[in-house]
Amino acid sequence: MTTPPPSLLLLTHQLLSAVSLLVLDLLGPSPAPDAPRKRRRTDGDEAGPATPALAPLPPAPAPAPPLPLPLPPTSPDHYPLAFRVSAPTFHYLSGLLDPLLSHPSLPCATLLALALARLASGLPYPALAALFRVPPSAPRAASRRLRRVLLANFRFWLAFPSDSTAPSSSPLPSCRGALACARFAGPGGPLAAQLVAGASSRILSLTAGFRGDRADLEVLRLSSLYQELEQGRLLDPAQYLVGDGNGYPLLRWLMVPFHGPVAPGSPEAHFNAAHRAMCRPARRAVRSLMGWGAIARLHEEESPRAAVTCIGTCAMLHNVLLAREDYSALAPEEGEEEAEADLGAMQSRRDHAAEEGLKVDKRAVALRGALAATMSDWRTPA
C-alpha cells in the first residue's frame, strides 16, 4: 500500500475542518452541559433566586384512538351500539317519520341516523359530520328536526294508558306507577325532571326543566300532574301512585313507606318491601335515560331549553323501544343494595317545612293501613 503525498493529506485535513466549522455555524452555539438555563422574566414574576434547569418535556403522547362506535353502521348488529335502537326499530322510525323529516339534499334515513347518533353517543356535531361525510350543518339540523317533530306530533307516547282498569303486574294492588324526581347536569346548572313510570319501566308522565335545587315536593306542586291528581282527573278513586325517595309526603293518591323501624315479617314490613319493588322500575327508567350519551353530556347543550327537549326526546324513544320489545337502551335491573341507596340522579331533596305544613290526610293513612293489613309477603307465592 502506497502512502499518499503530504500535500494531499494537508488538503484533506483543511477540507474537513471547513466542513465542521460550517456545520457548527448552522446549528448555532450549544450551551455548556452544566450551565443553568436562564428563564425569561415576565411582568408578573417576582425577583428571586435563579431557578434550576427544567427537565426536558416528554414526547407528546400519541392521539387517543377514535371511539369504537360503528358510525355509520355497516351491519344490523351495529345499530344498538350506534343508535341505541335495533335495525328493525330504526327502519320503523324511518318509515314513520319520512313525511316529517324533510331536508333539501339529505334523505330521511340519513337525517334520522345523524339525530340518533347524536342522542346515543353525545358526540359533537363536527365529529358526526366528518363520520357521516355530510355538510357541517347537517347533524345539528337533523337533531333539532327530530326533537321538534317528536315533541309536536307524538306526545301521546308519553301518557297514561287510556284504560285505567287494565291488569298490571304491580306488587301493590291498584297502584298505577311510581313517582320519582331525577336531576341532571344542565348547561346552566342542575335541572330537575319529574316522571311517573309503570311496572314495565314505561314512562307515563314527564315534566322537566325545574331548577335542580328545588325539593321533590316543590317540583311536584309546580307540575300540572299535581293539579290533575288533586282534582281526580287522572286516577280512579281507588288508585294511587307510590313516591320514590324520601322527599314526598303521604297523600290520598301518593303512598310512601312506613317510616321508622318496623318489625320483620309485620304487615308494615311487607308493605315497605312491595313499595321498594314498585319504585325500582322508575329508577330503572331514569338509569335508562342516563344511558343516552346526549343526556350524560347534557351540560354541553346550547341552552336549558335544548336540554329539556333532549330529555323529552329520549323519554319518548325509551317508550317506543319498550312498545316494540326492543331493549337496546334499557338499563339492567338494579340489585337489592342499589335499590336501598340513592344513586346519582336519584338523590332526593326534602322540604321539611312544606311537609310539616301539610295536614295529615286521614283517608291516606287509612288506605295505607288497609293495604298493609291485607297483603301477605308479596315475595312468597300463596
Side-chain angles (χ1 to χ4, degrees), residues 114-354:
L114 289 170
L116 290 179
R118 165 67 180 181
L119 292 173
S121 65
L123 287 176
Y125 294 118
L128 292 174
L131 288 171
F132 283 86
R133 298 180 180 180
V134 295
S137 61
R140 187 186 302 272
S143 180
R144 289 178 176 176
R145 186 64 180 168
L146 177 65
R147 299 179 187 187
R148 189 180 303 115
V149 166
L150 291 184
L151 295 176
N153 299 275
F154 297 93
R155 285 183 175 270
F156 57 88
W157 284 347
L158 284 176
F160 275 85
S162 56
D163 184 8
S164 61
T165 61
S168 172
S169 58
S170 166
L172 288 172
S174 302
C175 179
R176 293 298 306 279
L179 175 68
C181 190
R183 287 166 179 83
F184 307 94
L191 290 176
Q194 175 185 274
L195 62 84
V196 177
S200 64
S201 291
R202 183 178 184 270
I203 299 176
L204 309 177
S205 172
L206 176 71
T207 309
F210 303 98
R211 288 203 323 264
D213 59 349
R214 294 187 183 274
D216 295 359
L217 179 57
E218 185 180 7
V219 172
L220 173 61
R221 283 178 157 179
L222 291 173
S223 66
S224 59
L225 176 70
Y226 181 80
Q227 302 300 328
E228 293 178 341
L229 291 170
E230 281 289 300
Q231 297 171 9
R233 294 190 285 116
L234 197 59
L235 301 178
D236 293 339
Q239 295 177 335
Y240 55 90
L241 304 175
V242 295
D244 183 52
N246 57 3
Y248 298 111
L250 178 65
L251 303 172
R252 59 183 176 85
W253 44 264
L254 185 63
M255 297 288 103
V256 298
F258 289 94
H259 295 296
V262 294
S266 64
E268 292 79 8
H270 292 162
F271 176 87
N272 285 358
H275 185 281
R276 287 194 299 271
M278 188 62 211
C279 289
R280 287 174 193 165
R283 299 164 70 91
R284 190 180 189 186
V286 173
R287 289 185 290 109
S288 298
L289 292 180
M290 287 296 300
W292 290 87
I295 291 186
R297 303 170 67 171
L298 201 64
H299 59 281
E300 299 179 3
E301 289 289 330
E302 302 171 354
S303 64
R305 182 177 181 179
V308 170
T309 61
C310 178
I311 296 173
T313 302
C314 291
M316 299 178 78
L317 292 173
H318 169 85
N319 282 356
V320 172
L321 293 175
L322 290 181
R324 292 183 52 81
E325 298 183 355
D326 182 353
Y327 307 113
S328 303
L330 185 63
E333 294 184 358
E334 62 184 2
E336 292 287 341
E337 296 180 358
E338 293 176 319
E340 296 294 334
D342 279 335
L343 301 176
M346 297 301 298
Q347 294 180 354
S348 301
R349 292 184 181 271
R350 299 192 65 175
D351 188 347
H352 296 279

Side-chain angles (χ1 to χ4, degrees), residues 340-379:
E340 296 294 334
D342 279 335
L343 301 176
M346 297 301 298
Q347 294 180 354
S348 301
R349 292 184 181 271
R350 299 192 65 175
D351 188 347
H352 296 279
E355 293 179 26
E356 292 175 359
L358 290 174
K359 295 182 179 180
V360 177
D361 194 324
K362 295 182 179 179
R363 292 173 297 178
V365 175
L367 175 59
R368 185 173 64 172
L371 289 171
T374 56
M375 55 182 308
S376 59
D377 188 345
W378 63 273
R379 292 168 297 184

